[in-house]
Amino acid sequence: MFARQALRTIASRGGNSAITTNLAATAIRSYSATSAAHDRIVVAVGGNALQRRGDRLTIENMLKAAAEMAPTIASLHADHELVLTHGNGPQVGELALERSNATFDVLGAESMGQIGYVLAQALASQGVNACPVICQVVVDAQSDAFKNPTKFVGPVYGSKEAHALGQSLGWVFKPDGEYYRRVVPSPLPEEILQIDAVRTLLESDSNDLVVACGGGGVPVSRVPACPSTLQGVEAVIDKDMCGAKLATDINADGYIILTDGGGIWKNFGKEDAAEMALATPEYLLGTKAGKNFPGSMGPKIEAAIKFVQDSKNPNAWAAIGDLRDAAKIMSNEEGTIIREENVPGGVVWRDSNPNEAEQEV
């Protein structure tokens, strides 16, 4: 499905025959699934999609935001074999404020149940039955990530308020734009323990929409003396990296990271600003794309690259773009698509109005 849409778009732009021929070949699935006509896609939406900056984090606002998002997700689900994952940064941070003595593994599980319910209710109004699965994800408890917390959680604060909270609760804060937010360790996901349950749901005859690995999953580690025993870990796994792991494990064709901004831009705000329409992992790595945004676009680019490089599917692709442009991302009219092949020179730039950009390389 993706290949055919991209084929039409490139052909309409006068694209060369070698690219269109190779794209057409990707329409053939590399595995057996419930519907040979549909691509298997993992879609990741940020926790901020359920709580826009400036809005109070309330259930009412979450339900409203989910209702606005639901038609887009339902449309993708109608045309593709979809698995949905989501962030939980604002929500888990708010829960931590309410119960400062609770550990982040428990808070993460609570936020997953909360967000899963909100999404399921919103999607039901679109005729989609969602099946949220709370997933435990194994991490390395000795990871260097615990030495340098980087994952933003909770609301934004002014500098004085952040300093006061840091002093009273021992929390670590870092700048997030003009504000400050709490940061916690974010180790890499190593194993999704409920992955077989996700596969079983996908291969069933139902048309349920699986919601998995919300908030990056519940972080757990194995006790060295008894590996079958699990213990919670005080951390929040990056949802985009866990989404990449999820997409790889279920042999997805594509992985879409939907944001409240656009695709990957170069020189945003300058006269030569340009958005990437297509890019290879090698180009993004070589130019250190996202390095100026380690708390936002950087991890998304890293996760997209990881999926494309780790996938057993030679035609695997990833995409980054605005939630509002989801349909146009699929046809490569908006956002940035990352793939190994069929990208002349490693990058294809889009002719756009730089004032509409939200992100920068």
Side-chain angles (χ1 to χ4, degrees):
M1 181 68 69
F2 162 77
R4 288 190 288 272
Q5 289 173 323
L7 173 60
R8 287 195 294 270
T9 301
I10 292 177
S12 68
R13 295 175 181 172
N16 67 57
S17 59
I19 295 177
T20 55
T21 300
N22 287 330
L23 274 172
T26 67
I28 303 174
R29 296 178 63 88
S30 60
Y31 62 90
S32 174
T34 55
S35 175
H38 292 182
D39 288 348
R40 177 177 288 180
I41 300 171
V42 171
V43 173
V45 294
N48 288 324
L50 293 173
Q51 193 250 335
R52 298 280 179 168
R53 286 178 184 252
D55 288 348
R56 291 184 57 213
L57 185 55
T58 64
I59 295 299
E60 290 75 17
N61 282 338
M62 287 177 62
L63 287 168
K64 179 181 177 181
E68 293 174 353
M69 184 201 324
T72 296
I73 302 301
S75 177
L76 290 173
H77 176 62
D79 293 333
H80 307 279
E81 188 177 54
L82 201 68
V83 176
L84 180 64
T85 190
H86 60 80
N88 70 341
Q91 294 78 13
V92 76
E94 190 74 14
L95 288 172
L97 280 172
E98 296 173 3
R99 299 197 296 119
S100 59
N101 291 327
T103 57
F104 263 95
D105 57 317
V106 173
L107 294 174
E110 289 182 9
S111 71
M112 282 175 232
Q114 179 190 74
I115 296 170
Y117 160 69
V118 168
L119 290 173
Q121 186 181 101
L123 288 163
S125 68
Q126 301 295 315
V128 176
N129 186 48
C131 182
V133 180
I134 294 180
C135 298
Q136 295 169 286
V137 179
V138 176
V139 301
D140 179 4
Q142 305 303 316
S143 168
D144 288 343
F146 292 93
K147 301 176 183 178
N148 179 31
T150 58
K151 179 65 177 176
F152 288 121
V153 297
V156 297
Y157 300 96
S159 59
K160 291 183 179 179
E161 190 175 9
H163 179 74
L165 285 170
Q167 290 291 314
S168 62
L169 298 176
W171 292 354
V172 178
F173 287 84
K174 290 185 178 180
D176 183 14
E178 60 183 309
Y179 299 100
Y180 288 82
R181 290 179 71 190
R182 184 185 178 186
V183 289
V184 297
S186 185
L188 292 173
E190 296 186 345
E191 180 185 1
I192 300 171
L193 296 182
Q194 281 69 38
I195 193 65
D196 285 341
V198 174
R199 292 191 185 107
T200 298
L201 287 167
L202 286 173
E203 299 300 337
S204 70
D205 293 332
S206 74
N207 193 36
D208 292 346
L209 171 55
V210 181
V211 183
C213 296
V218 181
V220 298
S221 64
R222 296 189 181 277
V223 176
C226 184
S228 62
T229 300
L230 303 174
Q231 59 186 7
V233 175
E234 191 76 86
V236 174
I237 302 169
D238 181 74
K239 74 101 175 33
D240 296 317
M241 291 302 292
C242 194
K245 172 69 173 169
L246 172 64
T248 300
D249 286 355
I250 64 172
N251 196 24
D253 295 289
Y255 177 38
I256 303 176
I257 300 174
L258 296 176
T259 71
D260 56 358
I264 308 172
W265 284 75
K266 176 183 179 181
N267 297 333
F268 169 58
K270 300 179 181 179
E271 292 185 1
D272 60 344
E275 184 185 29
M276 299 179 193
L278 298 168
T280 63
E282 292 73 21
Y283 179 85
L284 295 173
L285 290 169
T287 57
K288 298 181 180 179
K291 67 181 184 302
N292 294 328
F293 298 88
S296 55
M297 183 56 86
K300 300 182 191 309
I301 295 174
E302 184 180 357
I305 290 172
K306 185 169 181 58
F307 167 66
V308 173
Q309 292 187 328
D310 288 355
S311 176
K312 295 179 181 179
N313 181 350
N315 297 315
W317 55 271
I320 299 173
D322 195 295
L323 172 65
R324 296 165 295 186
D325 298 327
K328 292 183 178 180
I329 292 171
M330 294 297 299
S331 60
N332 199 212
E333 295 174 73
E334 297 288 348
T336 304
I337 290 174
I338 299 97
R339 55 185 300 131
E340 289 281 11
E341 300 178 352
N342 308 321
V343 184
V347 64
V348 175
W349 300 98
R350 188 189 312 285
D351 293 329
S352 301
N353 178 1
N355 293 324
E356 298 177 352
E358 296 288 347
Q359 307 288 351
E360 175 188 11
V361 174

